[in-house]
Amino acid sequence: MTTQHTAVHRIEIVPLPAFKDNYIWLLRVGNAAAVVDPGDDEVVERYLAQQRLDLTAILITHHHPDHTGGVAGLVARHKPVVYAPVDGRIEGVTRRLRDGDEVALAELDLHLRVMAVPGHTDTHVAYYAPGILFPGDTIFSAGCGRLLGGTAAQLHDSLLRLGALPGDTAVYCTHEYTLSNLAFAQAADPDNPARDQWLATCQALRAEGKPTLPSTMAREKSVNPFLRTSSPGVIDAVTRHTGVRPPDALACFTALRAWKDNF
Ligand SMILES: [Zn+2]
């Protein structure tokens, strides 16, 4: 299993694969641990037991079952503090969060800032600390979440907001969708050598069974068509696909999202 040490910290961030293509990210310092979006408690439980870790916190980005399904089981056994956005569809929450709130994980010596990033859902949040971002299903490598409750305008704004974070921010996306997203990116942003390079890297990683994540924000800005809605190559590809030149970045984003839905 791959373990990533962040530049900012003694924290280790470990991907726990779950379901078909989810990652539950586990943060650990010493014997303290926190998890982000535990859709499956058995996957987390196995790692906690194996490594003799204490689960002190759960961070939820949005209400979908593949991100929340393990909360009840983990709460029953470990009594962690559960952080989640204000949303009645998420149960067992200790602390409800709004944009700009701070989450202080004392055992991990980590302070995270809450960013409201609606779009995939209407109440989705991301968690950010210098050097690390947990964006849930808002952004994937070379892609973004589908519109399942929020609007295209919301998701576009949320991606612009995430894109404004420092380039060296590690982006811990929650799904291994990178290769299929890159196939779409080849159609939607055909002349992009940085993307071709990232594709070759990811094909090699997947051939070895390794995650393509985390990505970085700088990389996403060079390979992710949904962050490149002002780039002439993307605008031309959307124009060819729809027959209409998008008048602005939001129109380009909206057309891209609809195109990807049927790709
Ligand atoms: Zn989701």
Side-chain angles (χ1 to χ4, degrees):
M1 181 156 307
T2 330
T3 294
Q4 236 95 28
H5 294 258
T6 72
V8 286
H9 239 272
R10 298 156 27 248
I11 287 191
E12 287 175 55
I13 303 178
V14 184
L16 304 179
F19 309 116
K20 192 167 144 267
D21 49 30
N22 285 65
Y23 293 121
I24 299 167
W25 294 102
L26 181 141
L27 294 68
R28 54 181 291 188
V29 171
N31 67 349
V35 285
V36 183
D37 288 348
D40 183 345
D41 54 324
E42 283 177 29
V43 167
V44 177
E45 213 58 78
R46 210 173 305 135
Y47 188 81
L48 292 173
Q50 208 179 70
Q51 303 284 319
R52 303 195 176 162
L53 297 173
D54 233 7
L55 184 70
T56 62
I58 294 175
L59 305 171
I60 300 294
T61 64
H62 68 293
H63 73 280
H64 287 156
D66 62 320
H67 297 249
T68 56
V71 172
L74 292 170
V75 165
R77 288 185 291 273
H78 303 279
K79 306 270 181 290
V81 181
V82 181
Y83 299 90
V86 177
D87 186 325
R89 294 169 293 193
I90 309 172
E91 293 174 1
V93 178
T94 321
R95 205 177 135 212
R96 301 274 180 186
L97 304 166
R98 293 172 199 283
D99 188 56
D101 282 349
E102 195 176 88
V103 170
L105 303 178
E107 295 85 353
L108 298 165
D109 190 23
L110 179 66
H111 290 246
L112 294 150
R113 183 156 51 85
V114 176
M115 299 173 73
V117 286
H120 174 61
T121 72
D122 51 347
T123 62
H124 200 301
V125 299
Y127 298 90
Y128 171 76
I132 55 181
L133 174 71
F134 297 100
D137 284 355
T138 302
I139 186 171
F140 302 120
S141 185
C144 71
R146 286 184 297 147
L147 298 173
L148 299 174
T151 65
Q154 283 178 324
L155 187 53
H156 184 239
D157 282 349
S158 294
L159 289 173
L160 290 175
R161 214 175 154 203
L162 296 180
L165 295 171
D168 62 358
T169 304
V171 184
Y172 293 88
C173 314
T174 46
H175 286 278
E176 183 59 69
Y177 289 161
T178 311
L179 288 181
S180 60
N181 286 340
L182 284 167
F184 175 70
Q186 283 182 305
D189 188 10
D191 277 321
N192 185 338
R195 191 268 329 289
D196 293 339
Q197 247 177 28
W198 182 227
L199 175 60
T201 302
C202 292
Q203 283 169 333
L205 286 167
R206 294 310 291 151
E208 293 175 38
K210 292 180 180 164
T212 60
L213 302 164
S215 185
T216 67
M217 199 49 81
R219 178 182 297 117
E220 290 312 309
K221 287 166 90 168
S222 70
V223 307
N224 191 326
F226 294 94
L227 291 178
R228 295 169 59 74
T229 49
S230 301
S231 135
V234 174
I235 294 169
D236 287 347
V238 165
T239 305
R240 281 194 301 274
H241 178 73
T242 62
V244 183
R245 191 159 197 87
D248 55 29
L250 173 57
C252 184
F253 177 83
T254 306
L256 267 182
R257 190 52 270 175
W259 182 3
K260 173 72 165 68
D261 284 344
N262 297 300
F263 188 76

